[in-house]
């Protein structure tokens, strides 16, 4: 049995062992590993969370190893999202879920990350018509989170239709679709599922659940108790029923590997691959944490922990089904309905309604605990699935609806970890804003707390709308009110920008300082080179001479003598300035009072 | 202190204290010009022009000038406020103020700050108040815009008036100069028995 360890409270185990490397042969390479209950193998596509990045990065695992210092590393070949390379994409259209595989040589091709940065598996299907690429089936396409058929050369910064023979020292065949195994992992995808409601649910839940601490304890409990029960299909079916009746279930995906009869991930992996042609292995692991302890009396303790159903099917399609449910601490009913079917072709879909209901419970409780954290995200996708919108839909809609309806306070927390991809120079804001304005993706937000910074605004938007955006807080000048902060926000698409403005107009998004956010689409003022300036005079006849002097002069500043015309005129300007300042002061005083007065009427604060 | 964010923020606040906000600058003023102009009061560490994206019309430019320390920054503000100081043109003086946190584009997140947001239900009693607050915000931004417009008009008026005055003065001086140079003044002086050389 291989050692199982925890990484920051998350279950981790190495899988297939490969050769050693490094100068002193002290680097151990691996072919697979299990992290967070998910099995990863070489060339899998994964999500990597980076702080400051509104959406997770996506890449392929090229190498997996552990250093002498026992730090686990992965080498990742990147995928680019269209928006990341939009400057180089030109007029070419890229569909919403298209990715571009990095190729060529240069920064941004691939890099080494700590293994812990991996946030989950991503189902990326290659749709290139290239003969080297096994063509995906329709089903696979529907299940794909992303597709790719083009590459982006990080050296020449060009989008290429052809896929090179070798990318980052790796034979491209490894990077295209895998022959069969793809199917296996495909079924696990969050967004992917047509019929995969169950499977998707598992993933969602596991992410949610695993972040909780009690997980590892439970895992430990599993091990020590050794309560691993293999059940036949029928048993499993029975079990399901009982589970459904149970009050609160806890599915622990991480327990998967522990529960496998052999207890060895690597073997599991291999086994799975081997079985492919012959038999399908369905493994279902349910950990039920039934506080009532009525339904399942298998274990001596009142807390029942593990169900392990390892079911073999004669069907050819390998499916991995898992039961799932949220472990809600205070919950009474958060019940998932697991379905197993020996007939893999005829899978049952859990009715949308059931899911919805359950889901609400899950969501509410999780929100109570942690507000909006990573937890909620999978949940949204879940909701989307359960609504029957089975394509990969942006989860925004449901997200918003939800918030609207429940009126809970959401804490805006910074997104997990930082480090935006900085390989490509960002365009200056001025150009970005101009482009965004022309495309209608520019929105002006008003009524922000003036002390927010741009990142704060980005976080607010991402929590309230689940949309990524680029923002710039307007810097205060003597012309701007000290009561209101304003920011320009660039969204990804025009319809998103319009939706946000509409939502802000119809609904009320109340920020913590008692400010409802105001959004509008406005024409920004662009920097004009030739702007005229009132107050600098030149005498016509001397104009040319003066301009020349000005151009050549290094320093053109001075204080005028008090006995000159210039001084008198300067005094006139000072007087005017004083008058305006006084007016501004009065106006802002008045506005501040009005604002305060109305704000006190808010009941919540 | 303690956490890095707090330290970062404290460092930032220190930077705010040694920075001067300068406005009423002509668009001709470049960073280099501004740097040279203020170098006479101390050591300029950096100059950042604040772009105007929001105020319609022709508002003067403004910039943040970071000095060596807060003492220098104070000196700049008091010098420029006491005497009319002109950069790249006259007679409109520039104005200097101590910088404020909100003027900085790259300000770090305030430490220990929680931001909450929530969608209000239409049935919530706060919903109406929030609607009115939104309305008030729009109203206020319109008021601000109006005042800016008004101010710009006044500035334009003053500029025009001064331009006319200057022209008149200039004409007067030219006339005097002409009279002096072509000998007319001398002749008249002799005629009326006046001494013209006041040297």
């Amino acid at each position: 049995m291989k050692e199982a360890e925890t990484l920051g409270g998350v279950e981790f185990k190495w899988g297939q062992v490969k050769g050693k490397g490094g100068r002193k042969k002290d680097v151990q390479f691996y072919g697979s590993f299990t992290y967070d209950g998910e099995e990863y193998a070489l060339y899998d596509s994964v999500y990597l969370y980076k702080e400051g990045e509104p959406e997770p990065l996506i890449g392929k695992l090229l190498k997996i190893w552990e250093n002498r210092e026992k730090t686990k590393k992965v080498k990742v070949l990147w995928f680019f999202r269209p928006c990341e390379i939009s400057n180089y994409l030109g007029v070419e259209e890229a569909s919403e879920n298209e990715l571009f595989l990095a190729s060529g040589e240069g920064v941004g091709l691939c890099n080494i990350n700590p293994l812990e940065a991996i946030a989950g598996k991503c189902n990326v299907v290659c749709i290139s018509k290239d003969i080297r690429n096994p063509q995906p089936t329709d089903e696979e396409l529907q299940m794909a989170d992303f597709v790719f058929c083009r590459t982006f050369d990080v050296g020449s910064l060009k989008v290429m239709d052809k896929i090179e023979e070798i990318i980052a020292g790796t034979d491209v065949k490894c990077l295209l679709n895998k022959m069969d195994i793809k199917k296996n992992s495909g079924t696990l995808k969050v967004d992917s599922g047509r019929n995969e409601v169950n499977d998707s649910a598992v993933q969602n839940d596991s992410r949610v659940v695993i972040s909780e601490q009690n997980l590892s304890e439970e895992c430990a409990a599993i091990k020590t108790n050794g309560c691993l029960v293999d059940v036949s299909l029928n048993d499993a079916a029975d079990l399901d029923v009982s589970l459904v009746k149970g009050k609160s279930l806890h599915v622990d995906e991480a327990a998967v590997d522990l529960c496998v009869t052999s207890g060895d991930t690597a073997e599991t992996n291999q086994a799975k691959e081997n079985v492919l042609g012959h038999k399908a292995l369905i493994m279902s692991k349910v950990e039920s944490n039934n506080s009532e302890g009525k339904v399942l009396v298998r274990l001596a303790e009142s807390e029942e922990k593990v169900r392990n159903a390892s079911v073999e099917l004669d069907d050819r399609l390998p499916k991995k089904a898992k039961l799932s449910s949220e472990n809600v601490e205070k919950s009474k009913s958060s019940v998932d309905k697991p379905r197993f079917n020996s007939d893999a072709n005829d899978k049952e879909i859990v009715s949308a309604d059931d899911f919805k209901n359950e889901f609400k419970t899950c969501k509410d409780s999780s929100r109570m605990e942690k507000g909006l954290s990573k937890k909620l995200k999978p949940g949204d996708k879940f909701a989307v699935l359960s609504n029957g919108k089975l394509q990969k839909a942006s989860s925004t809609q449901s997200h918003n609806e939800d918030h609207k309806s429940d009126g809970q306070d959401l804490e805006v927390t910074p997104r997990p970890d930082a480090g935006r991809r900085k390989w490509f120079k960002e365009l200056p804001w001025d150009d970005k804003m101009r482009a965004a304005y022309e495309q209608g993706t520019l929105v002006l937000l008003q009524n922000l707390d003036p002390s927010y910074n741009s990142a704060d605004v980005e976080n607010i938007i991402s929590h309230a709308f689940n949309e990524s955006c680029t923002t710039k807080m307007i810097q205060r000048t003597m012309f701007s009110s000290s009561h209101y902060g304003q920011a320009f926000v660039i969204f990804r698409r025009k319809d998103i920008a319009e939706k946000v403005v509409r939502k802000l107009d119809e609904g009320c998004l109340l920020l913590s300082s008692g400010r409802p956010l105001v959004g509008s689409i406005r024409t920004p003022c662009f920097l004009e080179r030739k702007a005229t300036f009132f107050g600098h005079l030149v005498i016509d006849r001397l104009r040319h001479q003066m301009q020349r002097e000005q151009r050549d002069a290094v320093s053109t500043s001075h204080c005028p003598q008090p006995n000159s015309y210039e001084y008198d005129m300067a005094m006139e300007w000072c007087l005017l300035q004083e008058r305006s300042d006084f007016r501004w002061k009065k106006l802002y005083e008045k506005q501040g009072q009005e604002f305060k007065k109305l704000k006190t009427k808010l009941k919540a604060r | 202190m303690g956490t890095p964010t707090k330290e970062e923020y404290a460092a930032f606040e220190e930077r705010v204290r040694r920075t001067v906000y300068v406005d009423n600058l002509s668009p001709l003023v470049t960073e280099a010009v501004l740097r040279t102009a203020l170098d006479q009061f101390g050591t300029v560490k950096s100059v950042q022009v604040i772009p105007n994206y929001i105020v319609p019309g022709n508002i003067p430019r403004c910039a943040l000038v970071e000095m060596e320390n807060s003492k220098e920054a104070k000196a700049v503000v008091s010098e420029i406020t006491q005497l009319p100081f002109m950069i790249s043109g006259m007679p409109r003086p520039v104005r200097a103020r101590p910088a404020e946190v909100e003027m900085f584009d790259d300000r770090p997140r305030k430490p220990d700050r929680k931001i909450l947001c929530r969608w209000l239900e239409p049935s919530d009693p706060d919903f109406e108040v929030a609607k009115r607050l939104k309305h008030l915000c729009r109203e206020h931004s319109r008021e601000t815009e109006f005042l800016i417009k008004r101010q710009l008009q006044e500035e334009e008026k003053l500029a025009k008036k001064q331009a006319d005055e200057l022209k008149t003065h200039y004409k007067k001086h030219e006339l005097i100069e002409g009279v002096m140079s072509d000998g007319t003044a001398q002749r008249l002086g002799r005629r009326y028995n006046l001494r013209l050389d006041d040297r």
Side-chain angles (χ1 to χ4, degrees):
Chain A
M1 191 147 162
K2 289 246 165 52
E3 63 192 307
E5 49 185 315
T6 51
L7 279 181
V10 180
E11 189 70 17
F12 178 85
K13 206 157 60 157
W14 287 120
Q16 185 196 351
V17 182
K18 291 195 145 188
K20 291 202 172 200
R23 215 169 292 149
K24 291 180 188 160
K25 292 281 169 203
D26 49 4
V27 178
Q28 177 67 57
F29 288 95
Y30 292 92
S32 67
F33 61 92
T34 308
Y35 181 58
D36 226 12
E38 182 84 71
E39 297 156 22
Y40 299 90
L42 280 180
Y43 314 120
D44 275 354
S45 302
V46 294
Y47 287 112
L48 285 106
Y49 270 103
K50 287 254 167 164
E51 194 161 334
E53 196 67 36
E55 299 191 43
L57 306 177
I58 301 167
K60 267 182 180 294
L61 300 178
L62 289 190
K63 276 190 188 128
I64 306 166
W65 72 91
E66 185 172 53
N67 283 338
R68 192 173 36 152
E69 298 84 31
K70 297 285 168 201
T71 50
K72 302 170 181 59
K73 300 282 184 189
V74 285
K75 186 178 179 187
V76 178
L77 173 67
W78 294 112
F79 280 113
F80 295 102
R81 291 173 193 262
C83 58
E84 287 175 310
I85 54 166
S86 54
N87 300 339
Y88 311 101
L89 203 52
V91 290
E92 287 179 74
E93 286 288 314
S95 62
E96 175 80 347
N97 67 341
E98 179 171 359
L99 295 176
F100 296 84
L101 188 67
S103 71
E105 268 171 39
V107 280
L109 177 69
C110 57
N111 61 5
I112 292 164
N113 287 277
L115 187 143
E116 294 82 356
I118 294 175
K121 259 195 187 177
C122 177
N123 187 9
V124 183
V125 171
C126 179
I127 52 168
S128 172
K129 297 280 178 254
D130 197 302
I131 41 158
R132 294 166 294 183
N133 182 40
Q135 291 302 307
T137 63
D138 284 352
E139 193 193 355
E140 279 173 330
L141 275 181
Q142 264 157 356
M143 292 188 311
D145 296 326
F146 294 98
V147 296
F148 77 98
C149 62
R150 288 185 273 180
T151 61
F152 179 72
D153 191 307
V154 294
S156 62
L157 302 177
K158 279 199 185 90
V159 172
M160 320 229 277
D161 289 327
K162 245 178 60 190
I163 300 180
E164 287 170 54
E165 202 58 53
I166 286 175
I167 295 177
T170 310
D171 187 351
V172 82
K173 273 180 200 144
C174 301
L175 305 173
L176 302 176
N177 292 342
K178 292 179 198 173
M179 290 311 285
D180 269 316
I181 299 159
K182 207 75 196 174
K183 281 180 188 166
N184 213 351
S185 59
T187 56
L188 287 171
K189 288 311 144 216
V190 180
D191 309 325
S192 59
R194 250 274 152 91
N195 301 325
E196 307 299 326
V197 184
N198 267 335
D199 293 354
S200 310
V202 170
Q203 216 191 8
N204 286 322
D205 276 356
S206 65
R207 270 204 213 164
V208 171
V209 169
I210 279 160
S211 64
E212 282 168 27
Q213 287 223 323
N214 60 1
L215 168 75
S216 47
E217 290 161 24
E218 274 162 4
C219 287
I222 296 164
K223 271 191 277 177
T224 51
N225 290 344
C227 298
L228 308 179
V229 187
D230 285 346
V231 282
S232 69
L233 175 62
N234 287 339
D235 285 353
D238 290 345
L239 217 153
D240 294 347
V241 181
S242 60
L243 286 180
V244 172
K245 284 179 193 155
K247 293 273 154 60
S248 101
L249 307 178
H250 181 127
V251 170
D252 180 5
E253 212 196 343
V256 168
D257 305 295
L258 294 172
C259 300
V260 175
T261 351
S262 67
D264 185 335
T265 331
E267 278 183 40
T268 321
N269 277 339
Q270 282 160 358
K272 237 191 263 161
E273 284 160 27
N274 293 339
V275 176
L276 271 178
H278 325 283
K279 286 176 180 176
L281 182 64
I282 289 191
M283 289 169 294
S284 47
K285 283 94 199 174
V286 180
E287 188 189 357
S288 116
N289 183 5
N290 187 341
S291 47
E292 312 259 310
K294 281 177 187 167
V295 187
L296 307 162
V297 210
R298 278 173 184 264
L299 303 181
E301 291 105 13
S302 61
E303 266 195 1
E304 289 164 9
K305 297 270 173 178
V306 186
R307 293 292 170 277
N308 177 6
S310 170
V311 185
E312 287 191 55
L313 296 184
D314 355 5
D315 197 80
R316 300 236 149 198
L317 272 178
K319 293 286 171 193
K320 197 174 172 191
K322 288 170 189 168
L323 309 187
S324 71
S325 162
E326 174 85 346
N327 175 20
V328 181
E329 280 171 16
K330 303 161 201 166
S331 82
K332 296 197 177 140
S333 60
S334 135
V335 181
D336 196 13
K337 291 187 181 175
R339 305 285 157 122
F340 287 83
N341 226 315
S342 54
D343 187 356
N345 295 325
D346 178 25
K347 267 177 289 150
E348 283 184 52
I349 304 166
V350 177
S351 78
D353 278 346
D354 282 352
F355 262 91
K356 238 184 198 163
N357 291 340
E358 280 162 31
F359 196 51
K360 273 232 165 99
T361 2
C362 297
K363 238 185 179 175
D364 286 346
S365 54
S366 59
R367 185 171 299 149
M368 270 191 278
E369 283 162 25
K370 286 195 185 168
L372 247 199
S373 65
K374 208 170 154 192
K375 276 180 142 192
L376 261 184
K377 277 197 187 148
D380 282 313
K381 288 173 179 166
F382 200 161
V384 171
L385 283 172
S386 61
N387 283 335
K389 292 175 196 162
L390 290 171
Q391 322 110 320
K392 192 205 169 193
S394 79
S395 48
T396 332
Q397 204 76 19
S398 54
H399 205 106
N400 288 334
E401 244 76 91
D402 253 41
H403 292 327
K404 257 189 183 165
S405 59
D406 65 16
Q408 296 256 1
D409 264 352
L410 308 172
E411 187 181 338
V412 177
T413 52
R415 293 187 152 261
D417 78 311
R420 207 169 254 274
R421 254 188 237 198
K422 292 199 174 92
W423 299 321
F424 305 116
K425 244 194 184 164
E426 266 196 80
L427 281 173
W429 174 260
D430 204 40
D431 297 346
K432 273 203 284 193
M433 192 175 68
R434 201 178 292 261
Y437 172 64
E438 277 155 17
Q439 288 158 18
T441 57
L442 186 73
V443 170
L444 176 70
L445 292 182
Q446 288 170 306
N447 210 6
L448 290 157
D449 192 304
S451 63
Y452 291 163
N453 70 7
S454 303
D456 287 331
V457 181
E458 269 170 43
N459 287 330
I460 291 170
I461 294 294
S462 79
H463 281 95
F465 298 98
N466 202 24
E467 289 294 349
S468 64
C469 59
T470 326
T471 61
K472 191 178 177 69
M473 203 69 192
I474 305 286
Q475 290 165 268
R476 180 192 290 175
T477 63
M478 286 299 160
F479 283 103
S480 40
S481 163
S482 53
H483 305 303
Y484 298 109
Q486 298 175 309
F488 270 117
V489 182
I490 298 175
F491 288 97
R492 282 179 299 139
R493 291 197 315 272
K494 193 180 177 188
D495 56 316
I496 296 174
E498 282 165 355
K499 192 189 72 195
V500 167
V501 170
R502 199 181 58 241
K503 281 211 147 89
L504 285 176
D505 191 41
E506 288 165 2
C508 285
L509 179 67
L510 195 66
L511 302 179
S512 43
S513 37
R515 297 162 180 272
L517 204 56
V518 175
S520 55
I521 289 178
R522 262 249 232 134
T523 319
C525 307
F526 298 109
L527 294 181
E528 304 273 345
R529 279 277 149 243
K530 273 202 210 153
T532 52
F533 178 68
F534 303 126
H536 283 180
L537 302 173
V538 271
I539 296 157
D540 287 340
R541 254 183 56 186
L542 302 176
R543 189 182 289 266
H544 288 294
Q545 190 196 341
M546 276 185 70
Q547 270 174 357
R548 201 165 46 241
E549 274 170 13
Q550 230 164 48
R551 225 180 12 243
D552 302 337
V554 183
S555 174
T556 51
S557 60
H558 67 284
C559 286
Q561 294 296 316
N563 58 353
S564 62
Y565 290 133
E566 191 189 357
Y567 187 81
D568 290 346
M569 288 180 176
M571 283 300 124
E572 285 179 345
W573 279 105
C574 289
L575 188 68
L576 182 71
Q577 186 70 64
E578 284 297 315
R579 274 210 303 265
S580 331
D581 285 351
F582 182 71
R583 261 199 317 246
W584 283 113
K585 211 178 112 201
K586 282 283 161 209
L587 179 77
Y588 289 149
E589 264 171 27
K590 188 207 84 170
Q591 290 187 348
Q593 275 164 10
E594 284 174 354
F595 179 65
K596 244 192 209 146
K597 208 172 127 201
L598 197 51
K599 211 170 84 172
T600 48
K601 289 190 182 165
L602 281 174
K603 293 220 166 46
R605 249 154 276 264
Chain B
M1 291 286 124
T3 60
T5 45
K6 269 192 186 154
E7 277 162 26
E8 191 192 347
Y9 201 77
F12 168 69
E13 278 178 326
E14 187 52 47
R15 181 152 73 95
V16 174
R17 275 193 286 278
R18 60 169 183 259
T19 304
V20 184
Y21 166 87
V22 185
D23 74 352
N24 288 347
L25 294 170
S26 140
L28 291 171
V29 174
T30 60
E31 283 185 17
V33 169
L34 195 56
R35 183 184 281 269
T36 340
L38 295 188
D39 246 347
Q40 47 191 310
F41 304 108
T43 318
V44 176
K45 276 180 83 182
S46 69
V47 176
Q48 188 204 359
V49 174
I50 300 178
N52 164 36
Y53 294 125
I54 194 80
V55 185
N58 230 326
I59 68 157
R61 291 179 107 182
C62 32
L64 293 170
V65 183
E66 186 187 350
M67 306 299 290
E68 186 73 37
N69 52 46
S70 57
K71 214 172 121 199
E72 281 185 10
K74 276 196 194 113
V76 171
V77 174
S78 74
E79 286 282 336
I80 294 185
T81 316
Q82 276 165 18
L83 276 177
F85 183 68
M86 309 188 184
I87 303 177
S88 283
M90 49 157 226
R92 188 174 180 182
V94 300
R95 174 170 61 158
R97 291 281 166 90
E100 294 162 31
V101 170
E102 287 81 11
M103 293 170 171
F104 287 80
D105 188 31
D106 50 352
R107 56 178 182 263
R109 175 192 305 276
K110 262 192 177 173
D112 302 331
R113 207 232 328 255
K114 263 191 195 172
I115 303 174
L116 298 171
C117 66
R118 60 174 179 151
W119 288 98
L120 292 177
E121 271 179 272
S123 57
D124 195 308
D126 282 351
F127 192 81
E128 273 313 303
V129 185
K131 281 247 158 187
R132 277 167 60 195
L133 273 170
K134 285 201 283 189
H135 185 72
L136 189 71
C137 171
R138 291 209 178 93
E139 193 94 311
H140 283 171
S141 89
R142 272 196 293 275
E143 284 173 4
T144 310
E145 253 170 56
F146 174 78
L147 204 58
I148 291 171
K149 222 166 152 189
R150 174 89 192 272
Q151 185 176 338
L152 285 174
Q153 278 168 359
E154 283 184 354
E155 283 172 6
E156 192 179 356
K157 216 170 99 189
L158 181 63
K160 222 177 227 160
K161 189 192 120 205
Q162 289 191 340
D164 288 346
E165 272 176 22
L166 188 67
K167 224 183 252 165
T168 321
H169 285 309
Y170 185 69
K171 255 190 196 155
K172 189 172 81 189
H173 283 283
E174 263 197 333
L175 187 70
I176 294 171
E177 208 184 302
V179 170
M180 294 301 276
S181 61
D182 68 1
T184 315
Q186 254 97 30
R187 259 188 289 126
L188 287 171
R190 276 198 298 274
R191 178 86 173 75
Y192 294 106
N193 231 351
L194 287 172
R195 282 175 57 114
L196 286 173
D197 45 342
D198 49 6
R199 257 159 288 180

